[in-house]
Amino acid sequence: MFLYAKKANIKLKFTEFPTNTESLSAMSSGRAAAYSTDSSILNSMKTPDMMILPEKFAPQDYGIAVRKDNNALLQELNKVIQQMKASGELESLIKKNDLVDFHGEGEE
């Protein structure tokens, strides 16, 4: 966003909104010209009249947290993740949503 604004000699004014939905609403109604949040949220909220800029601020780490005493859920999640990796579904979602692929970095 900064590069595009600088190249076009546009000054930016920043306003915070409490939720992504309110940010999208502000942009859609013309109260904001653009908004920024992580790319998976932008991709999930994208409308046909939106353009997501290719510039990134920083890679985002995503993970799943499970309570230490919930071994059944942990085992089920690990099983599903392994199935998604084996089928190629996880890689497909990573590419579709323009995420950084750490391929299990930090798994225990």
Side-chain angles (χ1 to χ4, degrees):
M1 181 169 40
F2 298 110
L3 278 176
Y4 293 94
K6 186 175 181 179
K7 286 179 184 176
N9 200 27
I10 297 170
K11 289 193 174 195
L12 299 176
K13 176 184 172 195
F14 293 91
T15 304
E16 289 187 47
F17 295 93
T19 67
N20 287 307
T21 302
E22 289 177 68
S23 298
L24 178 62
S25 175
M27 190 178 78
S28 297
S29 69
R31 292 181 294 131
Y35 84 99
S36 174
T37 188
D38 92 25
S39 62
S40 63
I41 294 171
L42 288 173
N43 280 299
S44 72
M45 298 182 78
K46 189 174 186 289
T47 61
D49 62 335
M50 282 175 58
M51 177 179 73
I52 298 175
L53 302 180
E55 183 180 22
K56 307 287 185 222
F57 297 116
Q60 300 297 313
D61 296 335
Y62 293 93
I64 301 171
V66 178
R67 285 176 41 148
K68 285 184 178 184
D69 63 352
N70 198 341
N71 288 325
L73 179 58
L74 175 62
Q75 289 175 3
E76 188 62 28
L77 286 170
N78 283 332
K79 184 172 88 175
V80 170
I81 291 167
Q82 290 306 317
Q83 290 170 345
M84 290 175 72
K85 283 181 179 180
S87 72
E89 182 181 0
L90 185 59
E91 185 68 27
S92 174
L93 288 170
I94 288 168
K95 286 180 181 176
K96 176 183 174 188
N97 293 294
D98 197 25
L99 302 173
V100 175
D101 184 358
F102 293 104
H103 281 294
E105 214 175 88
E107 284 184 7
E108 291 184 26

